[in-house]
Amino acid sequence: MNEDRHLQKKRRISQNQSRSNSHLAEEKGQRLVNASSFLPPSRNESRRGLLRSLRKRIAQSTGQSPNAEPIAASSSRQGLLHSQTSQDLSLLTTITLEPNPDQSSDSGIANTSSAITSEKSDPKLVQATLAKAKAGVDGIGIVSGKVENVASASDHLQSVPDTIDSFSKILKTFEKFHSVATMLTNVHPYAKVALGIFTCASKMILDQANRDDQVSRLLSKISEVYALLMEGEGLVRIASMPEICEKIARQTLECADFVVHYSDMKSFWRRLRKHVFNETEATIQRHNEVLDNLMQQFRDKLVLTNTETVHRIAEDQDINGMEYVHGAGRNTAKNCLPGTREDILSDIKCWIRSTGEDVPRILWLSGTAGKGKSAIAHTIANWSHERGGMQACFCFDRTREAERRHEKIFTTIARDLADCDITMRGALARAVHDDNELKHTIDISRQWQKLVVGPVREASKAITAPVQIVIDALDESGDANTREHILRLLSGKTDVSSSQPAELPANVRIIIISRPLQDIRDVLYASHVHHISMDDIPPVSTHNDIRLYISNRLAGLRNFNDAHFNTLAEKSDGLFEWARLTCEYIKGTNKVGLSPAGRFDAVVAGTSETGTRLLDMMYARILGEIMPKHEHREAIPVFCSVMGQILASLEPLPMPALKVMRLHFPDGRSHYDVEDVIRSLGSLVTSVTDPQTPIRPLHASFYDFLTDKSRSHDFFVDRSLVHSDLAFASLRVMDSKRGLRFNICSLENSYLLNSSVPDLEKRVKDSIPAQLSYSCRFWGTHVGFTRFESSLAKEVEAFFDGERLLWWLEALALMKCLSGSVVTHLSITDWFLGHAEFTHVSDAARDTLRFVRTFASTILRSTPHLYLSALPFAPTQSRMFRTFAAKFPCTPRIVAGHVENWPQMEKIIHANDEVHSVAISPDGKRIACGLYDGTIHVWDIETGEALYDPLQGHTRPVSSVAFSPDGRRIISGSWDKAVRVWDAKTGEALGSPLQGHTEWVRSVAISPDGKCIVSGSDDKTVRVWNIETCEAFGAPLQGHTDWVRCVAISPDGTCIVSGSDDRTIRVWDMETCEAFVTPLEGHTGSVRCVAISPDGKRIMSGSDDTTIRVWDMETGEALGAPLQGHTSLVRSVAILSDGNRIVSGSSDQTVRVWDAKTGVALGFPLQGHTQSVCSVAISPDRNRIVSGSYDKTVRVWDANTIMDKPLVAALQSHTGSVNSVAISPDGHSIVSGSDDTTVRVWDMETGKALVAPLEGHTGSVQSVAISSDGKSIMSGSADKTIRIWNVETGDASGVLKGHTDDVRSIAILPDRNHIVSVSDDNTIWVWHIGTGEVHRLSGHLNWVRSVAISSDGNRIVSGSKDRTIGVWDMGTGELLGAPLYGHHGYVLSVAISPDVCRIVSGSDDTTIRVWDIGTGELVGAPLQGHTDSVNAVAISSDGSRIVSGSDDKTVRVWDMQTDEGVGAPFRGHTGPVRSIAISPDGKYIVSGSSDKTIRVWDIDLLNRHRPLCFSSDPTHALHSASSFLPDYKGIF
């Protein structure tokens, strides 16, 4: 340490000033002055007089007594005001400061602040005064630049007249300002204060300025400041810029003080043997730099015109909502003690100001716990802030892990930087405006590049000053994996394959503070990082700093002198934290007995360790005195329990909240008084006396000590034991008297958005106390951390069963934490896995999660609509609706169009290009997909957010992706003939590409042990690679005669399965690379995909022949018939982890689910993709299906909605076209007739045949019907007969003969005694079943193809090849009126509405027509949409819908009232649809087709397109649900 610094420290030590922390320069906002002790006497005296005068002047203007007691304040040599009364001035330069809570109520400063804030400006007075002042402003100019290079040797020889002339021009500016500012002091209360300082500074210069030419350059710069203030509206706008004006005012006063006392300073420097010229230049340069920076900020703010203000508002709208961690920034209370750490602070400041290209952009300050690293971090951050630089400070804190600061680090830094500079702010606003997702992304790589680096580069074009970013306590960000990517980004090493760091903007200075942990050292110990270790600080410097600190902390203790301070400093081993603890211990009064001197002796005698052990011994000594050995049995359990609660809490809680939480612990014996325990730990935890301050360890080393049994021994705290107690307590707090309740914040109505409730923030704070807020946000996490126990499970069960569930969602929404419920629900579902007796609780959590995902934005916008909109619109079969809807009877009720189940599709993720492949990580949390543009994207499966920038490296489309079994790697294959390996956490390429294939790589797979990669290629080979060496194992596997499309590896890793365009599947030995069996043959098209069952016994394959086949792995034999249903090539197959379900994706744009054992399709095809589905994957928990498509989307489907619907999608037993279908009156059975001459009866729910095929007809069965009692079936056939069958026995009970040609259609009258039949013999016959009596109706001129009977049995309607429709009287057999003409082709099908008002007809002219049955008139225009003959029509039992089937292979649904199509056509049949029936409840459609299948369709899938009605009056329908509930359109 040089001589003058040593002298200054010695003088400071002699003052014995009191301090409260080792590296804190301030305590509760108060400062202690010591700088004046080494200033020249004349300077001290004149300054005191100046400030007394200024204080008196300002006190008079505010009504304050001029003799008000000043508040002590501290300042370093670089402080802005060197005076015991500087606190007065600092308060007078801002109107936003609040009085210190520790000050007395009659403090003059508090009164001044209050007076200033309460005053109002007078606009008229402003205008009048400015008009008078304008004349004074005219003529004032900037003289900057008139005097240059005054410090050069040649300038020292300039003539005296020139010097005087320059000074006269400079001083004229101050004179003008002085006169104008005097007129303006009555304009605004802030101007009165701020301008007072400027005026004072100008008067100092005018009255006492030294005419030394060396200071002329500084005077010139000061004159620029005054001229700037006089430009335009500068003085008027001062009031709107308090912070920047305060900085300028204080800096100007500092400069003026230097000018006035320059002669004294020169003498002082000479006495200290300093080079006067160099010191002058350095000081003036520093002042000029600061003033330049501050003036630029003033100009930036000054140019905010009205238009720019609007622009600022728009920027605010863009930036607002960005993730931000409050309380993670700089803290002036944590600054270094003035006079300490000067050398290292000087080094860091010098590095920050350095501008050379070779200057490292990153500085890493490392040191062990207790060295005072954080104090340095905050000192530097606050120093930069005071200078007006663009800076940000971000501090990690291990007690705040729940805030997930590592995911919000760069969004927070970006917002802080934007607050410092308008250019940066504009660039940031544009970035998030163009990509709104950036506000909330957890992809820190995108945060860094898009929100920090990009905007900083743009701002650097206008500002070259350093952009300073301080990251403190990086070691407390989590484990090594958590900070791995942060480290690489901060260090510029974003590509592990590169030896050089990525170039950061030249003016960026990143300061990283941490302990020297190995993972941090590995990244930051590099040539491009400037490393400063606290261990490298000279011991004598550290010793002196700690001695200075100790002398301040122990000041006032009797009989303590420099010798005591020096002894303790020597024992400290350079640890400021030990020094702090020791001082607290020596001064402490925890136990009666030892005096301070005795405690000192005990510390000195018992301290022989160093480093961490030294801290441990001090912690043990303090705790041992609080809890003596003989009290351990009683005291230790209490201490460990209470500290366990504090350490296990996911965020620190204040004392009252801790006490309430503990009272709800399940074991009443642990209801200790938290305050009794904490009160004695004042030196170890934060603010034990302030009920509002969260309690947490004062220093991270205490946390480490308590949680490491090898260090703390008896005082060890096991956090894991407390999570169960906290889980119980959280659930019970929510259920307590002051817990959750309906409308907890007493919102008066539902018409206001939450943002429009003026005092909502206050209501939330008053109504939701800290313990309730904590419980709502973290109860699920604590449950997840706890081992399963039935008593806790029952508490969780009760939570989901009661209204408390809704009140919990309400509270979360009001606290803006609703998104956090996702984590809770996922924790609960995971916690209950494997406990079948609580499956219903897991189901409830999943259902609530769907509810939240669906309606979150509505609830967040206006929380009352949780009850008024979200709950009524929930699907009727959802648990939320069934459990709670009835409890709110006064809410809207949907009486028509209400969906029953949650939609199958959970979310859509939009990609940049065609999606060729998808994969799900082993933990089920991430989706990886390969795109046509050659990139790989990785998304969070819950949020749909990208986890990092696209993985780039492939030069052609990525055809296949796979995750390694441990989830740490992603494997990709591409058309660029290469296979690549990526780090799944960071997205970085690992090693070199695997090259060897000579054509496109179509498919990749990775072995179960993660050691081998298998790839298939268009070069007709399969290759096996070593994942570590990137080398191929042996020669390629050859045998296929065409492109290898797909590969898979068996679960035991012994076999490889490949599929090829040669239409075969081959099985290979993984070790020998030999083929096991002969090729599996059976497909008639290319084999696109293969999958292996979890037990390794079956192979599933999909082909261009549209089928899926199942094979025996050992024998190679096909198992069962092919799975048929897709109408185009099958591109991808996957199998569930239980082996019971197969999922397939096809070019027919659908995803299908199949029963792996029976081959029956389950549920209905998943529809939504608009182009080929190229890839499907299933989550490990079997809850989700993910599909990727050429339509550039990835879709996530709820697998549970499919598995819960075991409805038959296609009944496959007929061997000929299915010409007719009918449904039993009870809706339980389906009857079908086919070209195979049989009639079959099916169970509607299971799809199983109820009886053996009904055989007897000798020709095609053209029509079937069921009697109204469901006991009889009638069938009409091409054999010209009608047969009657007994449903129960399947026996034929009669045969009706008479028609001379094919019987095309039959119908049964409601009386069950008559049958009506029509035939190609052009006739209609009415049969009496009992007697066989028949009546023939004639009138049609050609074949009669269809017949229907009215519900009242009075009318018969027929459709004919003669293009007419006939309406007949059942009683007389007469034609009622003329035939209905209108169709241009054959009438192939007719139906009558239940109210007997309408006839619906379908024709081979591709149209459907609706007729008035009374008048015979056409109602509305023809229904158009089919592209081929309409073979069948039916009307729903409520008359609201028409269903049609066509030769175009589709089934369509139409609205009877509007004549419009409802939703998209049902597609799935591969042949013409011949027949249609609707279930009695209107929920299902059954269709029969020439493709030999019967399909069952869920009409509920169309409800998303149906108008919603809140009453039985259809005019009350909402034709656009989204107009009422915005969330509705994205879900249904």
Side-chain angles (χ1 to χ4, degrees), residues 666 720-729 782 785-787 789 792:
S720 63
L721 300 178
V722 191
H723 285 298
S724 176
D725 290 333
L726 288 173
F728 273 105
H782 285 301
F785 283 153
T786 304
R787 294 185 63 181
E789 50 185 291
L792 180 57

Side-chain angles (χ1 to χ4, degrees), residues 1316 1324 1326 1337 1347-1349 1354-1358 1366-1368 1370 1392:
V1316 178
I1324 302 169
V1326 181
L1337 310 179
V1347 68
I1349 300 174
N1354 294 328
R1355 291 179 174 85
I1356 299 171
V1357 174
S1358 58
V1367 182
W1368 313 80
M1370 183 65 185
I1392 306 174

Side-chain angles (χ1 to χ4, degrees), residues 261 354 443 660 819 1149 1204 1229 1341 1532:
H261 296 285
S354 300
D443 179 358
V660 173
S819 60
Q1149 306 175 11
D1204 292 341
S1229 305
L1341 304 177
F1532 300 101

Side-chain angles (χ1 to χ4, degrees), residues 490-538:
L490 290 174
S491 67
K493 292 279 289 188
T494 55
D495 185 356
V496 294
S497 64
S498 172
S499 60
Q500 296 298 325
E503 188 65 28
L504 294 170
N507 60 335
V508 169
R509 296 291 182 269
I510 303 173
I511 304 174
I512 303 172
I513 317 290
S514 77
R515 302 185 198 187
L517 302 184
Q518 187 60 48
D519 64 302
I520 300 177
R521 178 186 292 273
D522 289 344
V523 176
L524 297 183
Y525 202 74
S527 59
H528 67 282
V529 176
H530 179 33
H531 180 211
I532 298 178
S533 172
M534 300 292 287
D535 296 332
D536 294 338
I537 299 175

